[in-house]
Amino acid sequence: SNNVPRFDHDRLTGESLGLLIEESRTNLFQNSTLYREPSGSFYQSAAIEQQSEVGPDGETGDVSLYHPNSIQNTHYYDASYIAQTGSHTISAWFKNLETTIYYPQLRIFDVGSGQAFANFNITGDGAVYSTGGDSFTSASIEKYPNGWYRCTMSCSNVNAHGMGIVASNSTSAELPNYAGSVDSNKGFLVWGVQVEAGSFATSLITTTGTTLTRASD
C-alpha cells in the first residue's frame, strides 16, 4: 500500500538488508504463474500444467510444470500481446525436477531468429550457458532456496512483439527443433514470470489476468 515501506532480504538466508527502494515498473506479463492462457498468448508444441509447490518465496502455491510435447518442432510459450519499444527485460524463476532433461531459454519472439536469447543451467550454483542475438544486452542467474533460480534476459530490440520461455534440449542453440519426451516430469517448474520495460529486472509484481504497475518507492 501507499506509505508502507518494503524491505529487502538476502535471497538465501532471509536476513534483512534494509529498505527496498525501486522505481515504478509494470509487469506486462498478464499471468505471472504461467498456468493460465490469456488472450494473445501462444503455445507451440509445449504444455503447461498447474502444480502446488513451495515457491522461491517459501510459500506453497501455484507453480507451473512446463515441458515440450512429443511433436518434432520448436517448443515454446510467448506472450504475443506485449508490444516492445526500447529496452525490455524478461525474468522468471525455474526449478529442476529429479528427472528434468531440458533447459530453460528466455527469448523474444515475432521478429525472426538472431534477435535475443539466453540459455540457463539451473543446477548447482547456476550459470548462463549461452547467449546471442543482435539486440541481446545482458543475462543473469541467481540461486534461491528450495532449488529455485531467478533467470533474467534483457534486450534492446525496438520492433519485437512478445517475450517468452523455450523448453530447450540444447545448452547453446536458439529455439532448437526436436521431438520432446512424452514424460512431462522431464520438464521444469516455472514461477513468477515478469516482462518489464527497462534494462534490468526489478522485484516481482504478481499478476493474475492483467498487467499491474507498482508505484515508485
Side-chain angles (χ1 to χ4, degrees):
S1 301
N2 287 339
N3 301 315
V4 176
R6 296 193 300 150
F7 293 88
D8 200 6
H9 298 83
D10 184 279
R11 63 182 185 275
L12 296 177
T13 68
E15 179 184 3
S16 177
L17 300 177
L19 283 172
L20 175 60
I21 300 176
E22 294 183 298
E23 62 192 77
S24 177
R25 288 288 182 92
T26 299
N27 187 355
L28 301 171
F29 199 94
Q30 295 176 4
N31 284 288
S32 58
T33 50
L34 241 190
Y35 66 89
R36 295 182 180 90
E37 188 175 357
S39 175
S41 296
F42 184 76
Y43 294 84
Q44 177 158 294
S45 303
I48 299 173
E49 301 175 16
Q50 183 179 350
Q51 305 283 307
S52 181
E53 176 83 16
V54 177
D57 59 352
E59 301 292 331
T60 300
D62 292 330
V63 304
S64 299
L65 172 59
Y66 184 72
H67 60 93
N69 64 21
S70 58
I71 296 174
Q72 178 75 34
N73 210 334
T74 53
H75 307 271
Y76 62 89
Y77 172 103
D78 77 281
S80 54
Y81 53 80
I82 298 173
Q84 294 171 234
T85 301
S87 297
H88 275 69
T89 297
I90 180 172
S91 58
W93 280 262
F94 298 105
K95 181 179 180 177
N96 270 338
L97 306 171
E98 290 183 2
T99 51
T100 294
I101 65 171
Y102 298 110
Y103 309 98
Q105 178 185 116
L106 299 177
R107 188 180 186 273
I108 61 173
F109 289 87
D110 298 339
V111 288
S113 61
Q115 294 294 320
F117 71 94
N119 292 298
F120 297 92
N121 173 10
I122 51 174
T123 63
D125 291 331
V128 180
Y129 268 135
S130 59
T131 61
D134 293 339
S135 66
F136 171 84
T137 55
S138 65
S140 66
I141 185 169
E142 292 181 323
K143 185 177 182 179
Y144 277 73
N146 303 318
W148 289 94
Y149 299 80
R150 193 186 194 192
C151 302
T152 73
M153 192 274 292
S154 299
C155 61
S156 60
N157 192 285
V158 297
N159 297 309
H161 295 272
M163 304 185 82
I165 299 169
V166 179
S168 176
N169 67 343
S170 170
T171 60
S172 59
E174 176 189 11
L175 202 60
N177 186 312
Y178 64 95
S181 170
V182 296
D183 183 359
S184 64
N185 289 319
K186 291 183 179 180
F188 46 81
L189 299 177
V190 183
W191 182 89
V193 182
Q194 183 153 296
V195 176
E196 54 193 310
S199 60
F200 58 90
T202 63
S203 60
L204 177 63
I205 305 166
T206 303
T207 56
T208 55
T210 186
T211 62
L212 186 64
T213 298
R214 179 191 62 236
S216 60
D217 292 301

